[in-house]
Structure formats: C-alpha cells, structure tokens
Amino acid sequence: MASVTSATPPGAAGELTAGLRGFREVQRLAYACAEAVAAQLKPGVTERAAARMQREWLRERGVRDWFHLPFAWFGDRTAFVNFRVPLQFFPTRRELEPGMAFILDLAPIHNGYTADIGYSGCLGLNPVHDRLLADLEAHRELILREVRERRPLREIYADVDRLMVRQGYANRHRAYPFGVIAHKVDRVRQRRWSPTLFGFGTQSLRGLASDALHGHRDGWSPLWSPYRFSDHPPQPGLWAVEPHLGFRGTGAKFEEILVVTDSKDPQESAFWLDDDLPHVRRRQEEKAA
C-alpha cells in the first residue's frame, strides 16, 4: 500500500507521497461522480436508478473494480429507519421527492487505488438536513484531534457518540455491520475481471480478511467499531471514516480517507487526505458568507 511512514499533509512539512496522491485522485473522482449524479437527480428518480447512474459514470471513466458497488438512500432511508438486515442497505424503488434528503455512497477502485466516499444532499430546501451537515464539522475535527492523541479507537467512537447526543442526534453508523464508523482501505492488484459478492469486490474482501487475520495476531482490527476488538490505538494506514447523524427520519454523513502515520509529530501523525471536498468547501463558503 502507499507509504504512511514519511507521508506529510500538503501545506505542512511536505507533500503527499506518490502512493497517497493515487488515493487522493480516486477519492476526487468518486466525489466528482457523486456531484455529477446529484445534479441530475429530480422527483421520481429511484434509488436503483441513482445507483446505476453512479456505476455508469465511473465505468465511462475506466473504473472496473469496486470496494463496494454504489448505494443510494432517499428520505427516511438516509437515517436507516427500521433497518434490521444487510439487504436493506441495497438500493430500492424508493422515489425521490421535493425536499427529500439523499445519500450517495460509492467505493470505486481505479489503477489499484481505493476510495470510499459518502455524499449527502437534498432535493430542494430542508432546514433539518442543513443543520445536520453543519454539525458534522465538529465530528471531523474531533476525530482528527483524538486520532492525533493516539486515543484508542473504541474511546474515540464513544466520544463521537457523546457529541451526537449533545447535538441531539442519533448515531446511525451503528446500524452498519459491526457498527463501524470506519474501516481500512488499501491498494489492490489490477485485474481484467473483478467479481463482486453481495455488492462488495472480492479482492477488497480478501484484503480486509487478511488485515483482520494479521491484526488479530498483533492486537488490532481493520474495523473501527464500538466493540472490544477496536480497543487499540489507531493503526497506521488509510481509514475510510464515516460519521453518520440521524434526526427524525433524516440522515446525513460524510465519508473520506483519514491518513494515519507512525510520525511522532502530531500534525503529521494523522491528517485528512484532502481538504478540497464538497462538504469541506460548503462549510468554508458558509463561514465566509
């Protein structure tokens, strides 16, 4: 995978390594896809159609492998209302309506580099959704700060939970399998044929399984959860992080890559891979206004 030993954040002590630039490029490609598809959404479009639009947009740009195939959630499904089994995460015939929140979640692999992103939007005005997006900023700051402090992942998860409660929200990433708020991502070998299993790329699943096996021996997990197996400091590598807020049938989240290194310098020990992302720009524009 990309080196995380000497990597430093842009504008700090140096520039990204070539490997990290590859991850940043595919993450930007994924967000460009989400923005392009979001701009085409209109009343009557279904979740399945939105997921298909994401797949087609990325395939036209050379994507042939996936960490997972694109998802789309509309309305109260953005808050995972009454989700009980994994099959409920897959796109449905739910139609988008004016004022309805939506989330696009996609994880392409391009040139061997992996991204996993979440894009939250709304078809028209929705003050609750706007508030959720604004309040996500505090979670982005908290997660980075406490990872730099080398707090155990399980404790950081609990602090995110407490912040959500203070804000008046429900933790919706707990509805994901194993309740994860993040998972490791890595490079994968490029292949002409890249099958999927239950919507996930088989190469990526093998990579996670290998990390889980090695991590179990060494006392860490590639899954960042509220459970005991995540009771360890942040492991160097790339983590796709996705705090997900819910409030009365409306959900919002971001998902992006956090880089964790073995540097002793706090500023270089962890940093977000890219600050030029839609949810970051949105907050910067709001502050400037």
Side-chain angles (χ1 to χ4, degrees):
M1 66 166 289
S3 169
V4 292
T5 300
S6 59
T8 53
E15 292 298 326
L16 293 178
T17 64
L20 290 185
R21 284 198 297 273
F23 284 99
R24 185 175 63 181
E25 288 170 6
V26 70
Q27 180 170 263
R28 287 185 175 182
L29 179 69
Y31 266 108
C33 173
E35 289 188 296
V37 170
Q40 299 176 56
L41 296 180
K42 57 185 179 181
V45 172
T46 66
E47 291 180 345
R48 289 182 181 177
R52 183 176 64 251
M53 292 161 68
Q54 295 172 73
R55 290 196 305 272
E56 292 173 349
W57 193 96
L58 287 164
R59 282 173 177 158
E60 289 173 358
R61 289 154 181 82
V63 171
R64 296 293 180 269
D65 196 5
W66 310 87
F67 181 84
H68 66 70
L69 292 170
F71 294 102
W73 303 303
F74 296 168
D76 63 2
R77 285 175 51 78
T78 61
F80 299 158
V81 172
N82 296 322
F83 277 32
R84 297 287 184 269
V85 297
L87 289 177
Q88 291 176 285
F89 288 95
F90 288 94
T92 69
R93 293 188 177 88
R94 170 70 67 86
E95 294 184 356
L96 194 60
E97 300 174 7
M100 186 176 277
F102 61 83
I103 294 176
L104 306 178
D105 189 308
L106 55 153
I109 298 172
H110 192 45
N111 295 326
Y113 295 99
T114 306
D116 194 352
I117 70 110
Y119 179 91
S120 293
C122 187
L123 191 65
L125 299 177
N126 186 323
V128 170
H129 186 260
D130 291 344
R131 186 73 254 170
L132 288 166
L133 291 181
D135 286 343
L136 275 168
E137 181 184 23
H139 293 274
R140 193 174 189 266
E141 295 171 352
L142 180 150
I143 289 167
L144 178 60
R145 181 176 66 253
E146 297 199 354
V147 168
R148 285 175 169 174
E149 293 170 357
R150 292 296 192 256
R151 299 275 301 281
L153 296 182
R154 191 182 185 191
E155 289 184 12
I156 302 174
Y157 192 110
D159 286 343
V160 170
D161 254 1
R162 282 189 281 268
L163 176 55
M164 289 184 180
V165 170
R166 291 198 301 271
Q167 292 173 325
Y169 302 132
N171 173 343
R172 299 317 302 141
H173 49 264
R174 192 176 285 269
Y176 289 108
F178 304 105
V180 298
I181 190 175
H183 59 83
K184 286 195 74 180
V185 296
D186 210 335
R187 290 200 67 177
V188 300
R189 187 176 302 171
Q190 293 189 80
R191 295 186 177 179
R192 296 180 63 182
W193 184 61
S194 302
T196 59
L197 180 66
F198 301 114
F200 285 79
T202 55
Q203 289 198 91
S204 296
L205 288 175
R206 282 197 296 269
L208 268 182
S210 177
D211 272 350
L213 178 62
H214 292 121
H216 180 71
R217 290 201 301 259
D218 297 335
W220 63 273
S221 170
L223 302 178
W224 182 342
S225 82
Y227 302 113
R228 186 175 300 173
F229 60 75
S230 293
D231 200 6
H232 59 81
Q235 180 74 10
L238 308 184
W239 294 81
V241 183
E242 51 182 332
H244 192 153
L245 311 180
F247 182 76
R248 297 181 181 176
T250 300
K253 72 169 185 172
F254 66 79
E255 184 173 13
E256 59 176 304
I257 291 176
L258 178 69
V259 182
V260 180
T261 79
D262 56 8
S263 172
K264 302 302 182 183
D265 183 330
Q267 297 300 311
E268 297 179 12
S269 65
F271 53 92
W272 295 108
L273 180 62
D274 193 0
D275 280 324
D276 189 17
L277 298 177
H279 53 280
V280 181
R281 292 195 300 267
R282 182 187 300 120
R283 292 300 297 150
Q284 291 171 343
E285 291 166 1
E286 289 173 355
K287 289 179 178 179

